[in-house]
Each structure stands twice: as structure tokens, then as C-alpha cells.
Amino acid sequence: MSNTLLKVSGLKKSFSIPDGMFGKKKTLKAVHDVSFMIPEGKTFSLVGESGCGKSTTGRLINRLIAPNQGEIWLDGDEISGKKESQLKTMRKKVQMIFQDPYASLNPRMKVRDIVAEPLAIHTKLSRAERYKQVAEILEVVGLSEYHANRYAHEFSGGQRQRIGIARALILKPRLIIADEPVSALDVSIQAQILNLLKDLQAEFNLTYLFISHDLSVVEHISDHIGVMYLGTIVESGPKEVIFSNPQHPYTKALLSSIPIPDPRLRRERIILQGDLPSPVNPPAGCRFHTRCPVATEACKGTEPALKKAGTDDHFVACHLVE
Ligand code: SF4
């Protein structure tokens, strides 16, 4: 049994945003009572539509922003209430891989300086020692020392994401938060990057929080999946259970949109009506009831809690699931 590296409990985050003119404000509830844990060396994926709060959850765990409520335990250390000056150790343990490899790399810096920058910030290594480590990590991600002296714009999208991964790895982190790391890449390149992330996880015992809008992308890499809707997790479970026995109507709809590669097989597509409601004014009762194809009157009254559904690790928030 692996140790728990990350434990998140009752996490909440809201933002005060402008409400028209005259300086009025309204509250956007981005994350609403999110809890999960990730054992060391495993991958937990957060999946849901754009605007469901998954990226905000990643930023909370990386403490780029502070939660309003809830706890974040990293490697036995409670980090949710710490000030920036107390987060230096945590910053070395948690690194991010971003969605857009074009935007996340400084165009004015050579690759060796982009990748070496975290070492310059967090260690006392000499420049020569930093560059030696850069050369080694570039080899690990499938590039070479030859690439270190070039600028980011000289690379393809896949190569740029490899540079981003090298930068994330250079401090030997324990947890990597990968926020839509392949969604800006061509499908063939996506597979290469996902395979690379899998290989790196096996080699360095990395733990991943993988964030994606696409269930088909996380199938390959996940051990456990949490499906998010409007700031909250509506279903979570081992990958095999989520894919073979989804219980929440939203998870079923997401799965039904994944194409099946065999043309002889057909899957009935569930089309959800309408858009994701505004997190400024989420629906009362079950947050999904305005789009749920099987909603009942009762769904408008009470918000369903996450409860066990069958196997030990499978949880669903739906009044219709026993
Ligand atoms: Fe649909 Fe009701 Fe279940 Fe919510 S509680 S997912 S509205 S059936």
C-alpha cells in the first residue's frame, strides 16, 4: 500500500468579481467542498468542462492562491494556511506543467536558462553545475544538450512541452500538477507526451494530479478519476470503475462523447442541454439538475452528498444512486 502524498479535504474557494458599474461586487464560487487524496507514485485526474473549477483546484494545491476553507496536506505537512515565506520547501516538492507550451516558456531565454531557472531560485549550485543538470534532464525527456542553446520558438509544440516537463522535473519534485498538458497538441504528439509522462512516473516515482476536460485523454494515464461539475466532485473512483460502471448522469454523458475506434460498435450519445450554469449563481439542490436528463422534482430541493456506490473507492453524488 502506497503512502498518501496529497490529501485535500473540504476545499472551498470563491472570488469577488465586479458586478456591472458603480463598484458593486458579486461572488464567484469556483471550488465548492472538494476532497480527494493521491497515494505516492499514482495519478489522480480531475475531469470536467471548462469552468468547472478543476484548474482553480490545481492552483489552490500549488498555493498560487489560498483557499477560503479546507485543508491541503502534502507529504504530511498542512500547507493550506501557510504564508508565502513558509512555502519554500513545498515549492520544491510541487511543480506544474502548463497547457500551452507556447505561452509558458519565456521567448527571450535560451532553453538551458529556462530549465535551469528553478535551480537558480531554489539551490546554491554554480552555473556550471546547473547547466550540467539541465543537460541530463534534457536527455531524460527525449531532447539533447544540443537543444539547450536554442530559443523556445525554434521548437515544435511537442518539443516545447518536453522543455516544460524538463523544467518541472529539474528540482526532482514529488508532485506534478499537469493542467491540460496535451490539449494544445496534435493527437499523435499527445500520445507521445502521455507515454513520456508515464515513463517518467515509473522512473522517478512521481505523483501526478492530471487536469483535463477530456476523459479519453485521462484514461491512459490515470489510476483514479474525479469528475467535477460546477466546482464540486460528482463522482470519483478507480479508472476501471469510472469507465466500466459510471453512475452519475454527468459522467455517463462525458463518456458517451468518446468515439469508439471500432466502426462496428456504437455508443448512444447523451447530449446535454444548455451550458454550464454560472458559478456566480449555481442552481439550488443538485447543481446538475438544470441539465440532467433524469432529474426529478426532488433534485431541485436538496444537494446530494458524495456517497459510496458499490465498491469501496467509488463515490457518487446523485439522489438516484443507491
Ligand atoms: Fe440528476 Fe438528480 Fe442525480 Fe442530480 S441528483 S444527477 S439532477 S438525478
Side-chain angles (χ1 to χ4, degrees):
M1 183 94 178
S2 314
N3 293 329
T4 298
L5 183 75
L6 177 75
K7 184 165 183 233
V8 171
S9 155
L11 209 57
K12 290 188 180 178
K13 180 66 183 176
S14 55
F15 299 97
S16 186
I17 58 171
D19 183 14
M21 294 195 294
F22 312 117
K24 281 171 69 181
K25 298 276 185 190
K26 56 188 174 185
T27 303
L28 186 153
K29 296 166 195 127
V31 174
H32 175 75
D33 205 6
V34 164
S35 303
F36 61 88
M37 48 82 74
I38 317 181
E40 187 167 24
K42 302 290 182 189
T43 302
F44 183 90
S45 294
L46 277 177
V47 186
E49 287 163 285
S50 175
C52 72
K54 55 193 188 307
S55 291
T56 305
T57 304
R59 291 169 67 212
L60 287 167
I61 291 165
N62 200 18
R63 282 302 318 272
L64 294 174
I65 50 177
N68 300 120
Q69 218 174 300
E71 294 183 354
I72 304 166
W73 289 82
L74 178 75
D75 205 14
D77 197 11
E78 213 284 300
I79 59 168
S80 56
K82 289 194 172 176
K83 298 194 181 89
E84 184 56 42
S85 57
Q86 300 170 306
L87 290 172
K88 203 158 190 284
T89 311
M90 170 261 163
R91 297 252 171 263
K92 285 176 75 173
K93 288 183 180 175
V94 183
Q95 292 292 309
M96 290 210 60
I97 299 170
F98 296 97
Q99 172 180 4
D100 187 350
Y102 296 85
S104 61
L105 305 176
N106 188 331
R108 293 192 184 82
M109 289 170 75
K110 288 186 175 171
V111 165
R112 69 154 59 100
D113 294 312
I114 291 173
V115 178
E117 197 175 34
L119 289 175
I121 294 168
H122 288 282
T123 72
K124 292 186 167 49
L125 293 175
S126 68
R127 178 183 291 205
E129 288 167 328
R130 294 198 297 267
Y131 285 172
K132 183 167 177 287
Q133 290 201 16
V134 169
E136 288 167 6
I137 207 73
L138 287 177
E139 296 281 348
V140 166
V141 300
L143 297 170
S144 71
E145 192 175 0
Y146 160 77
H147 295 110
N149 208 28
R150 293 161 65 179
Y151 291 91
H153 71 263
E154 298 176 61
F155 294 88
S156 67
Q159 286 175 318
R160 287 185 217 207
Q161 198 53 296
R162 287 174 192 268
I163 296 167
I165 293 169
R167 183 184 155 101
L169 284 181
I170 195 92
L171 287 173
K172 302 184 174 63
R174 305 283 301 285
L175 173 69
I176 288 194
I177 300 173
D179 190 355
E180 302 272 13
V182 297
S183 59
L185 304 175
D186 291 345
V187 173
S188 59
I189 308 296
Q190 285 185 358
Q192 290 176 17
I193 295 296
L194 289 171
N195 285 334
L196 173 64
L197 289 172
K198 282 285 269 186
D199 292 346
L200 293 172
Q201 183 171 46
E203 191 173 347
F204 299 111
N205 196 31
L206 291 168
T207 305
Y208 291 143
L209 172 61
F210 198 96
I211 294 169
S212 176
H213 68 282
D214 187 345
L215 258 175
S216 65
V217 165
V218 306
E219 182 177 11
H220 182 66
I221 198 158
S222 306
D223 295 294
H224 214 91
I225 293 173
V227 178
M228 276 190 88
Y229 185 80
L230 212 54
T232 194
I233 293 181
V234 295
E235 181 160 10
S236 74
K239 170 186 70 178
E240 298 76 16
V241 174
I242 295 292
F243 275 84
S244 65
N245 185 26
Q247 294 291 308
H248 196 281
Y250 181 58
T251 313
K252 289 178 184 174
L254 289 183
L255 278 170
S256 78
S257 66
I258 300 176
I260 302 176
D262 186 339
R264 292 164 301 177
L265 300 177
R266 293 181 133 241
R267 182 190 273 148
E268 193 184 338
R269 178 93 194 260
I270 303 168
I271 311 273
L272 293 178
Q273 302 301 320
D275 296 324
L276 194 69
S278 166
V280 171
N281 192 17
C286 175
R287 292 172 168 234
F288 187 54
H289 84 254
T290 53
R291 301 169 79 197
C292 180
V294 291
T296 66
E297 250 333 277
C299 302
K300 298 178 186 170
T302 320
E303 184 169 8
L306 265 183
K307 58 186 184 223
K308 241 180 216 179
T311 59
D312 273 358
D313 279 350
H314 189 195
F315 291 85
V316 184
C318 173
H319 292 312
L320 299 189
V321 175
E322 291 301 321

